[in-house]
Amino acid sequence: MRTTDIVTTAIGNSFRSRLRTTLTVLAIFIGAFTLTTTNALGTGVNEYIDTQITSIGAPDVMNVSKPTQASDAGDGPAPYDPDAGSEIDTNAGPPGTTVLALSDADIDEIRAVEGITDAQPLVSVRPDFVEWQDNGRFQLSISPFSSGVTLDLAAGSGFDRASTGFEIVLPTTYVDTLGFASETAAVGESVRIGVTDAVGEQHLIDATVVGIQNPTLVGTGASTNTALTTALFDAQRTGLPEQASTDYASATARFDAGASDEEIQAIKDRLVDAGFAGTTVADQIGTFQSVVDGIILVLNAFAVIALIAAGFGIINTLLMSVQERTREIGLMKAMGMSGARIFALFSTEAVFIGFLGSAIGAGVAIAVGSVVSSVLADGFLSGLAGLQILTFAPASIASVFALVMGIAFLASTLPASRAARQSPIDSLRYE
């Protein structure tokens, strides 16, 4: 019997007892459906997190700060060091979280660290308003993560790093408010930004809209290029005494985009030796992905349990099939069919049942999941632009097929081995 004959015969034998096969396929369907859906959930959420990571920081950018040295409880306050700099509230983490202020000299020291190609202070810009033509003035917040980001854009393009012009990327929520006809129509237009200096005088700065940005997990603030950020910062500091120091909470440091994880860790270690602490965006948000992966792993475990239960159904189905076809097995052996071929025949039958159950389960999961994902994206999750809660990746679906068919094959080994070992004489005498 050729391989094609074995496959054809195995498929035909699977439908000899249609009710029994259908019930086994349904059990496999439940596990495959659950596994496909949970994998799609993990893929969709992780892809969205990856998008958010690039929206709040580039992969070749590191946030650098000068952490305070914690003292043991009961030790009292640390001694005053006039060269250490003042403490600045980071506006991140638990209330009261502070770091030592960075000076211009500290920025130069960061730039000198091996592996760092450039470093710029992360300044706090607080504009008064933004307006377009005569459509009214509206409050404007500037994202603190503007330097080096790869923006998730709904229209337009990102910043030209070499440009000295004033460029701004507005959130989608500003389009209708400012009076633009559409997101595309806003690109290329000039908006006016107002900022008040130290003595209460208001400065007006014009900037070109180069893109419209989808909202991110960290807020809906606008993003500005380095030239515009510097201009706004200089304007709001106008009127301060010349001897007034410029303190920064942190700095953004660039390194080689092709740096490996080991090289990035080496840069962090050198920053620590210099008295600084460096963190990438992946460090800050990677925890979310670990939590999501953990949840998906637990859900997948339940799906695998269902598949294992279905595997016992396959064992039962094939054992009954072997018993019912004992005389047939004896006849095949009497005609010269080897035990290996008989084993292949029954194991192929099990693999086909596994394939059938996984195909139906994955197909239904994709159909239902696509509809559910679309409905949620337009409804409950409409505020999270770009999130497809269920994303069906081909590699993930292929892994479900491989797992289910692997479990089916393992489940077939006992009944297939029993069939292969049967004596042709005893099988022919079986009643």
Side-chain angles (χ1 to χ4, degrees):
M1 183 178 284
R2 296 173 300 178
T3 302
T4 54
D5 295 330
I6 290 177
V7 174
T8 303
T9 304
I11 293 174
N13 290 339
S14 300
F15 294 102
R16 280 189 173 186
S17 178
R18 294 184 179 180
L19 178 60
R20 191 165 61 211
T21 300
T22 299
L23 293 175
T24 305
V25 168
L26 283 176
I28 297 173
F29 159 81
I30 294 172
F33 176 88
T34 305
L35 197 59
T36 304
T37 304
T38 53
N39 282 342
L41 177 63
T43 302
V45 174
N46 279 324
E47 284 186 356
Y48 182 70
I49 292 177
D50 288 338
T51 301
Q52 298 309 304
I53 288 177
T54 59
S55 296
I56 65 174
D60 60 343
V61 168
M62 186 180 299
N63 182 274
V64 181
S65 60
K66 183 183 290 186
T68 57
Q69 183 175 2
S71 57
D72 295 332
D75 284 352
Y80 168 68
D81 183 357
D83 298 323
S86 59
E87 293 187 2
I88 293 181
D89 191 340
T90 62
N91 294 319
T97 300
T98 61
V99 294
L100 291 176
L102 296 176
S103 64
D104 290 328
D106 291 324
I107 302 300
D108 292 335
E109 188 176 351
I110 294 171
R111 292 191 183 106
V113 172
E114 182 183 352
I116 299 295
T117 59
D118 186 32
Q120 296 295 331
L122 188 62
V123 298
S124 176
V125 179
R126 299 178 299 277
D128 301 327
F129 65 85
V130 61
E131 65 174 339
W132 179 63
Q133 297 182 352
D134 296 323
N135 295 319
R137 296 178 172 181
F138 300 91
Q139 295 180 357
L140 176 68
S141 61
I142 302 295
S143 169
F145 301 98
S146 298
S147 179
V149 299
T150 303
L151 302 173
D152 179 20
L153 297 173
S157 60
F159 300 120
D160 180 1
R161 190 176 299 176
S163 175
T164 57
F166 298 155
E167 298 178 351
I168 186 171
V169 173
L170 294 172
T172 53
T173 51
Y174 279 68
V175 174
D176 293 336
T177 303
L178 291 177
F180 296 114
S182 65
E183 295 168 352
T184 304
V187 177
E189 293 291 334
S190 178
V191 295
R192 177 159 294 177
I193 303 172
V195 59
T196 301
D197 63 21
V199 295
E201 182 180 346
Q202 195 170 71
H203 300 255
L204 301 178
I205 298 176
D206 293 330
T208 301
V209 179
V210 297
I212 301 297
Q213 178 184 6
N214 288 317
T216 68
L217 288 173
V218 294
T220 56
S223 297
T224 55
N225 69 340
T226 301
L228 179 54
T229 302
T230 302
L232 292 171
F233 184 69
D234 291 342
Q236 74 182 21
R237 283 182 54 82
T238 301
L240 288 176
E242 292 184 4
Q243 63 271 24
S245 62
T246 302
D247 294 333
Y248 314 104
S250 62
T252 52
R254 284 189 173 278
F255 52 87
D256 186 2
S260 64
D261 292 341
E262 292 77 12
E263 291 171 332
I264 294 175
Q265 185 58 50
I267 294 174
K268 292 178 182 178
D269 293 340
R270 286 191 285 270
L271 285 170
V272 170
D273 293 338
F276 305 101
T279 57
T280 61
V281 177
D283 294 333
Q284 300 170 32
I285 299 188
T287 304
F288 292 146
Q289 288 180 308
S290 298
V291 171
V292 171
D293 291 341
I295 295 173
I296 298 304
L297 183 62
V298 172
L299 294 176
N300 283 345
F302 286 108
V304 171
I305 291 173
L307 289 174
I308 293 175
F312 286 103
I314 293 175
I315 294 174
N316 180 64
T317 297
L318 291 184
L319 284 175
M320 295 184 67
S321 180
V322 170
Q323 184 176 359
E324 292 171 354
R325 293 152 56 188
T326 300
R327 290 174 63 93
E328 180 183 333
I329 293 171
L331 181 61
M332 287 189 292
K333 281 202 166 187
M335 294 178 65
M337 191 170 180
S338 66
R341 290 286 182 177
I342 293 176
F343 180 90
L345 178 64
F346 281 91
S347 60
T348 301
E349 184 176 333
V351 170
F352 172 72
I353 293 174
F355 171 79
L356 195 61
S358 59
I360 297 174
V364 173
I366 293 173
V368 174
S370 299
V371 173
V372 171
S373 183
S374 179
V375 171
L376 290 177
D378 295 334
F380 181 70
L381 301 176
S382 59
L384 301 175
L387 172 61
Q388 290 294 324
I389 193 67
L390 296 174
T391 301
F392 298 93
S396 177
I397 296 173
S399 67
V400 171
F401 273 77
L403 176 63
V404 174
M405 294 168 68
I407 291 176
F409 174 77
L410 292 175
S412 72
T413 55
L414 175 62
S417 298
R418 178 173 294 184
R421 292 195 306 267
Q422 285 190 1
S423 167
I425 297 177
D426 293 337
S427 299
L428 289 172
R429 291 175 177 175
Y430 182 80
E431 294 295 337

